[in-house]
Amino acid sequence: MVSRQMNKGGYYLLYLFMTGLFLGIILVNIRHDVWMDEDGLLNTAMMKQLQSSELDGSYLFGYILKHRVSTILILCVLASTMIGFPIVCGYVCYLGASAGCILSIAVIRYGVRGLFFMAASVFPQALLLVPGYFLLFQWGMECNRSLYGKTDGFEGRYLIGKQFILKKVISLAGILFLIILGCMIESYVNPQIVHYILTIL
């Protein structure tokens, strides 16, 4: 039963992300003139700066970690409220829309080279971050369902005990560990890959 709910939740998250991705692509194509401005995202100057710059891995790691962990903690707190479920769903759609916009801009500006750049921008950290965020979103949805779903006529929060809280804290700690590892790879490994790809494109 639990496995079936997890699979159902996984498909639901995928649908939300793909919906956001599709909307992001449509948005860029509708307002093509705005997104493709010379001062816009992924313009020539920005790409040249990325190609010539050498990023400090420790500084980048601190910046990414602060941004990611703060967002995750806010999301987890909101997931424990009555509006947690739509918040989680909305954030998944937002991530999909952001990915759709950036992908569309890269392809429109640089064609196939844009696809290679986008692939280089997300690997290899995506191997950890994608499952990490997937587990995080499932964690939030299950937490909200457990707190505000009804069992035998009672809302879940009246039946929550220390064992449930401990289990959720341990699960969240594991998810955070996975995401932090992904942030480390994104800070120390990925910039080298992006720099190399930019030199050969």
Side-chain angles (χ1 to χ4, degrees), residues 6-188:
M6 289 183 64
N7 289 334
K8 185 178 179 181
Y11 286 124
Y12 189 64
L13 290 172
L14 181 61
Y15 293 149
L16 287 172
F17 182 84
M18 295 304 296
T19 299
L21 184 73
F22 181 69
L23 291 175
I25 293 172
I26 291 178
L27 180 62
V28 170
N29 283 275
I30 289 177
R31 298 304 307 274
H32 183 275
D33 56 331
V34 175
W35 289 95
M36 301 310 296
D37 187 86
E38 283 300 320
D39 296 325
L41 188 65
L42 298 181
N43 59 57
T44 304
M46 182 184 296
M47 299 298 279
K48 287 183 178 179
Q49 185 177 3
L50 283 174
Q51 187 177 12
S52 60
S53 62
E54 293 185 7
L55 295 176
D56 182 358
S58 58
Y59 173 80
L60 188 60
F61 176 67
Y63 174 81
I64 292 174
L65 187 65
K66 180 181 178 181
H67 174 73
R68 291 254 167 84
V69 171
S70 60
T71 302
I72 289 169
L73 292 179
I74 291 172
L75 194 65
C76 290
V77 171
L78 292 174
S80 64
T81 67
M82 293 189 71
I83 61 171
F85 191 83
I87 289 292
V88 173
C89 293
Y91 189 69
V92 174
C93 280
Y94 163 76
L95 290 179
S98 299
C101 287
I102 296 174
L103 181 62
S104 295
I105 292 171
V107 171
I108 292 173
R109 283 190 186 275
Y110 305 106
V112 177
R113 293 185 302 161
L115 287 177
F116 281 111
F117 171 75
M118 291 304 300
S121 299
V122 299
F123 285 101
Q125 69 269 20
L127 298 176
L128 294 176
L129 292 178
V130 170
Y133 273 97
F134 176 79
L135 292 172
L136 174 68
F137 297 141
Q138 278 205 327
W139 183 95
M141 293 172 67
E142 290 170 6
C143 181
N144 187 266
R145 188 184 299 114
S146 298
L147 287 171
Y148 299 102
K150 290 189 176 182
T151 304
D152 297 329
F154 293 96
E155 288 191 357
R157 63 179 181 274
Y158 297 114
L159 305 174
I160 297 301
K162 292 182 179 179
Q163 186 176 1
F164 171 83
I165 296 174
L166 181 62
K167 181 181 177 181
K168 285 297 179 184
V169 169
I170 293 174
S171 298
L172 181 59
I175 293 169
L176 279 172
F177 178 73
L178 189 64
I179 291 176
I180 290 172
L181 284 179
C183 291
M184 291 182 66
I185 295 175
E186 185 176 5
S187 303
Y188 293 100

